[in-house]
Amino acid sequence: QERGGNNSFTHEALTLKYKLDNQFELVFVVGFQKILTLTYVDKLIDDVHKEFRDKYRNEFQQKGTLGLLNGTFDFKDDFLRLLREAEESSKVRAPTVMKTFEQSVKSQKTVKCMIETRGEKPKEKAKPKKNKGSKKEGTEAVTTSSKAAPGEKQPSAAGDREELTKDEILQRNREEFFKKHMKAGDKSSKSPKPDAQKEKGKKPRVWDLGNSNAKVLDYSNSTTNGNSEACPPEEFDPDLALGDRNREPGRLYDLEYESDEEAEEEKVIQNTSKPSTKKGGLGGMFGMLRGLVGSKSLTREDMDPVLEKMKDHLIAKNVAAEIAVQLCESVAKKLEGKVMGTFTTVTSTVKQALQEALVQILQPQRRVDVLRDVMDAQRHRRPYVVTFCGVNGVGKSTNLAKISFWLIENGFSVLIAACDTFRAGAVEQLRTHARRLNALHPPESHGGRTMVQLYEKGYGKDAAGIAMEAISYARNQGFDVVLVDTAGRMQDNAPLMTALAKLIAVNAPDLVLFVGEALVGNEAVDQLVKFNKALADHSMAQTPRLIDGIVLTKFDTIDDKVGAAISMTYITSKPIVFVGTGQTYCDLRSLNAKAVVAALMKA
């Protein structure tokens, strides 16, 4: 799964540590009991790697790695010798003895020195004098030096400079530079104060397109608000609700992204052709071949500058900083020691390896096929239950309505459970969606069968109880799918996270979807880690239910900053099941890994 940044893997009571030899395509693995704290494991695996490679280097080069599969290796004696040496080296090390107070650096400091370093007030008092002296012209410095005795003050100043280290001199110069700029800023900020004090009180802002009459916006006396029977049938434009009329009903289209690879290739050709015309034949040829590596193995020093740029590029595209570092580390371990082709640049090799890693991360081991699972639940004559969870304002209810529309177009009936009993207007929002979906797919078009229905018990009730009642009602009424909407909650709110864990543990849904927006960067990692941790901690089951998949919303608002998709799938190893790309019911897509990586790698 392209997580080579971590060189260890724990399974039950065992821990495995591994090392890659990319030059000869070898993997060295050492396994040991997790409970043992073996300090020599890293040394052992390094020694075995070096010894094995040196011993069979000629055979690797002649036969190749695949040709050695049928061969035998007489390496047992060498391994036992290296193991004994590693064990002995760990025993030879004497335990570290703590220093006495007299041996420490602190004992050599005087009390006065300690007070000055801690408080920093004496330094601040002493510095303005030096700053004043530094601000004076060179002529004043010459006069002061002429007044001073030649044998007294000048040697002491030279001695002070010798005592200061380079870091202390740099720090002092920085402090003086900042003080100069701070004083300049104070002088400029003092002048506008009288003008700012004249304006007192707030004035109401009048918008150009606004309505000054507040009565137009008052809906509090409406008799039909919140009453489904009294509400007249809603009139709306189906084209606005559906978006693209030319689409195939019930199909979930892939996410599309138009890459600019051809334009980039043209630019590269133009840039490489220009130097040859200016500098002549040989100069242009050497300029083009600069940066090419001919049949040499890659080292970490070769890759570090490129990886640093790649890491900054990923962070700029909204990939979480910690994950960007781990990705680059994984690529470095994958490429270190690998022999490159004759006309291949380090940049292109690293970029290609990073692209392959990103595509593999976005294609996890388990793929969620909702339609197949719904049909499987139909055969067992039970409803398929999906629970939506996430933080506030990410679009849970809106995307629940989109998924409802997609399921209805595939011929499945949907029961929406309004388990957000906290947010004002949450039930009314779902009721409006249910009414619109029924208008788009009336019972007459489905043999008199109501395709979507809302199950709600109002506000202030127990969400887990409402979900249980909704699932029971769906089983009795023959609904195919139950979509459970939950209240938005921050990942640090322990009581609300406990309530969510209770809802999932009690009702055991078939699919738990985390709804996250594509706008977040580092926050995506924090949200998913804490949601999963809360579900594990507050669940009473021995194997707690965690997040099964991700719904990525607001994807149409980020242009090519698609890093949140990488962060979420990397941290959970769970697939992105749906991608929300707009406000209409048809703005729902499945993730296309190559399209996302193309947007991510775009300069």
Side-chain angles (χ1 to χ4, degrees):
Q1 288 296 302
E2 296 300 331
R3 287 164 176 80
N6 304 320
N7 65 341
S8 63
F9 175 76
T10 303
H11 177 68
E12 295 179 357
L14 289 177
T15 298
L16 301 179
K17 282 198 171 184
Y18 59 88
K19 185 172 183 180
L20 304 178
D21 187 326
N22 296 302
Q23 184 177 359
F24 298 119
E25 298 179 356
L26 300 173
V27 184
F28 295 86
V29 185
V30 59
F32 55 94
Q33 294 288 334
K34 184 173 68 173
I35 197 169
L36 301 176
T37 54
L38 302 179
T39 57
Y40 58 83
V41 171
D42 293 327
K43 182 181 185 304
L44 174 65
I45 200 169
D46 288 338
D47 292 344
V48 169
H49 167 229
K50 186 178 179 183
E51 185 89 10
F52 188 85
R53 188 185 60 183
D54 293 345
K55 186 173 183 179
Y56 299 103
R57 180 187 294 272
N58 294 331
E59 296 183 34
F60 291 150
Q61 292 173 348
Q62 291 172 4
K63 299 180 183 179
T65 309
L66 294 176
L68 294 173
L69 292 176
N70 298 325
T72 56
F73 298 98
D74 185 15
F75 196 71
K76 186 176 180 180
D77 295 336
D78 297 321
F79 171 73
L80 293 175
R81 174 177 55 81
L82 293 172
L83 180 61
R84 283 196 303 271
E85 289 176 0
E87 289 174 346
E88 291 296 328
S89 66
S90 64
K91 292 177 184 177
V92 167
R93 294 178 185 174
T96 55
V97 182
M98 291 182 63
K99 291 181 179 180
T100 60
F101 180 73
E102 287 75 14
Q103 294 173 340
S104 65
V105 181
K106 190 175 180 181
S107 64
Q108 300 172 5
K109 294 183 179 180
T110 60
V111 177
K112 183 179 178 182
C113 176
M114 291 168 67
I115 293 172
E116 286 180 357
T117 52
R118 286 182 182 176
E120 293 184 358
K121 288 183 179 179
K123 285 186 178 180
E124 291 178 2
K125 290 178 182 177
K127 278 174 186 173
K129 294 179 181 178
K130 294 178 182 178
N131 288 336
K132 288 177 184 177
S134 63
K135 287 179 184 178
K136 291 180 181 180
E137 300 292 334
T139 53
E140 294 180 3
V142 171
T143 54
T144 51
S145 61
S146 61
K147 289 179 183 178
E152 293 176 1
K153 291 187 179 179
Q154 288 177 356
S156 63
D160 291 340
R161 287 177 187 174
E162 288 174 1
E163 289 175 4
L164 291 176
T165 62
K166 290 183 179 180
D167 293 335
E168 290 175 348
I169 293 169
L170 284 171
Q171 186 66 24
R172 179 183 292 179
N173 293 338
R174 284 176 189 162
E175 289 174 358
E176 291 176 0
F177 176 76
F178 284 124
K179 281 188 178 181
K180 287 179 184 178
H181 282 267
M182 288 292 289
K183 287 180 180 179
D186 293 340
K187 288 178 183 178
S188 61
S189 62
K190 286 177 183 177
S191 56
K193 276 188 179 178
D195 297 332
Q197 290 175 357
K198 288 178 183 178
E199 298 177 2
K200 290 183 179 179
K202 289 185 177 179
K203 294 180 181 180
R205 177 175 291 183
V206 180
W207 299 97
D208 295 335
L209 301 176
N211 195 335
S212 59
N213 188 4
K215 293 181 180 179
V216 180
L217 303 174
D218 187 8
Y219 293 95
S220 59
N221 295 326
S222 175
T223 55
T224 61
N225 186 23
N227 191 352
S228 58
E229 286 100 20
C231 279
E234 189 169 351
E235 295 181 0
F236 66 98
D237 186 3
D239 291 334
L240 293 175
L242 294 178
D244 186 11
R245 277 285 192 178
N246 298 323
R247 81 203 190 293
E248 183 182 340
R251 181 181 173 186
L252 191 65
Y253 288 90
D254 283 343
L255 196 67
E256 295 179 356
Y257 178 76
E258 296 179 0
S259 62
D260 300 332
E261 289 182 358
E262 294 179 0
E264 287 178 4
E265 286 176 3
E266 289 177 4
K267 287 181 182 177
V268 170
I269 292 167
Q270 290 174 3
N271 291 337
T272 52
S273 62
K274 283 178 184 177
S276 61
T277 56
K278 291 181 181 178
K279 296 183 180 179
L282 287 174
M285 181 63 71
F286 287 125
M288 288 173 64
L289 295 177
R290 186 181 299 164
L292 299 181
V293 184
S295 298
K296 65 165 283 190
S297 58
L298 273 174
T299 62
R300 193 61 182 261
E301 289 75 18
D302 296 332
M303 293 184 288
D304 278 344
V306 182
L307 288 171
E308 189 66 27
K309 289 180 181 178
M310 290 291 179
K311 184 191 75 174
D312 295 340
H313 178 77
L314 291 174
I315 294 172
K317 293 290 180 121
N318 260 4
V319 178
E322 179 186 353
I323 290 171
V325 172
Q326 291 178 6
L327 271 171
C328 292
E329 186 68 23
S330 174
V331 170
K333 288 190 175 180
K334 188 177 178 181
L335 293 178
E336 191 173 3
K338 185 177 180 181
V339 178
M340 296 175 58
T342 307
F343 293 98
T344 312
T345 62
V346 178
T347 305
S348 63
T349 305
V350 173
K351 189 175 181 180
Q352 181 66 27
L354 185 60
Q355 283 180 331
E356 292 172 0
L358 293 171
V359 170
Q360 192 169 350
I361 285 168
L362 288 172
Q363 294 174 338
Q365 296 168 337
R366 179 177 177 266
R367 183 174 179 267
V368 177
D369 192 337
V370 177
L371 297 180
R372 182 195 60 195
D373 294 341
V374 172
M375 288 188 282
D376 186 59
Q378 272 184 331
R379 286 193 290 270
H380 292 85
R381 295 184 179 181
R382 65 174 184 85
Y384 183 78
V385 183
V386 183
T387 299
F388 295 82
C389 62
V391 301
N392 310 73
V394 292
K396 290 184 293 298
S397 303
T398 303
N399 285 274
L400 181 146
K402 294 180 188 179
I403 294 169
S404 301
F405 177 75
W406 173 67
L407 289 168
I408 293 166
E409 288 210 325
N410 282 281
F412 300 114
S413 57
V414 178
L415 180 69
I416 300 174
C419 295
D420 185 355
T421 61
F422 177 74
R423 177 171 64 89
V427 177
E428 286 77 11
Q429 181 184 3
L430 292 176
R431 186 180 292 132
T432 303
H433 280 305
R435 198 161 56 232
R436 287 196 168 195
L437 290 169
N438 275 322
L440 292 168
H441 286 275
E444 296 81 29
S445 303
H446 298 274
R449 184 187 183 194
T450 303
M451 296 304 290
V452 60
Q453 191 173 332
L454 177 67
Y455 189 91
E456 54 102 353
K457 291 291 184 182
Y459 295 95
K461 305 292 193 314
D462 179 33
I466 294 174
M468 182 181 289
E469 292 175 17
I471 294 168
S472 177
Y473 178 81
R475 187 180 291 108
N476 296 332
Q477 297 297 320
F479 281 94
D480 298 321
V481 184
V482 179
L483 301 181
V484 181
D485 185 30
T486 62
R489 62 204 75 209
M490 295 306 293
Q491 64 269 24
D492 298 315
N493 193 324
L496 291 180
M497 294 305 297
T498 307
L500 178 65
K502 175 190 171 186
L503 185 147
I504 293 173
V506 168
N507 296 288
D510 297 283
L511 187 64
V512 180
L513 292 178
F514 175 85
V515 185
E517 57 185 6
L519 299 166
V520 295
N522 291 317
E523 185 69 9
V525 178
D526 189 56
Q527 288 174 5
L528 277 164
V529 167
K530 289 186 177 176
F531 260 81
N532 262 335
K533 187 175 184 299
L535 293 178
D537 291 346
H538 301 302
S539 177
M540 300 300 176
Q542 189 173 3
T543 55
R545 279 298 302 279
L546 303 179
I547 292 164
D548 299 316
I550 298 164
V551 179
L552 195 60
T553 66
K554 306 180 186 179
F555 207 80
D556 55 321
T557 65
I558 56 170
D559 192 24
D560 58 355
K561 291 181 171 56
V562 295
I566 299 292
S567 302
M568 289 181 180
T569 49
Y570 188 93
I571 205 69
T572 59
S573 299
K574 302 298 180 184
I576 295 176
V577 187
F578 300 104
V579 180
T581 59
Q583 295 296 318
T584 67
Y585 289 133
C586 296
D587 289 329
L588 194 68
R589 300 284 184 272
S590 63
L591 187 78
N592 183 353
K594 292 184 179 178
V596 173
V597 172
L600 193 67
M601 299 304 291
K602 180 183 175 184

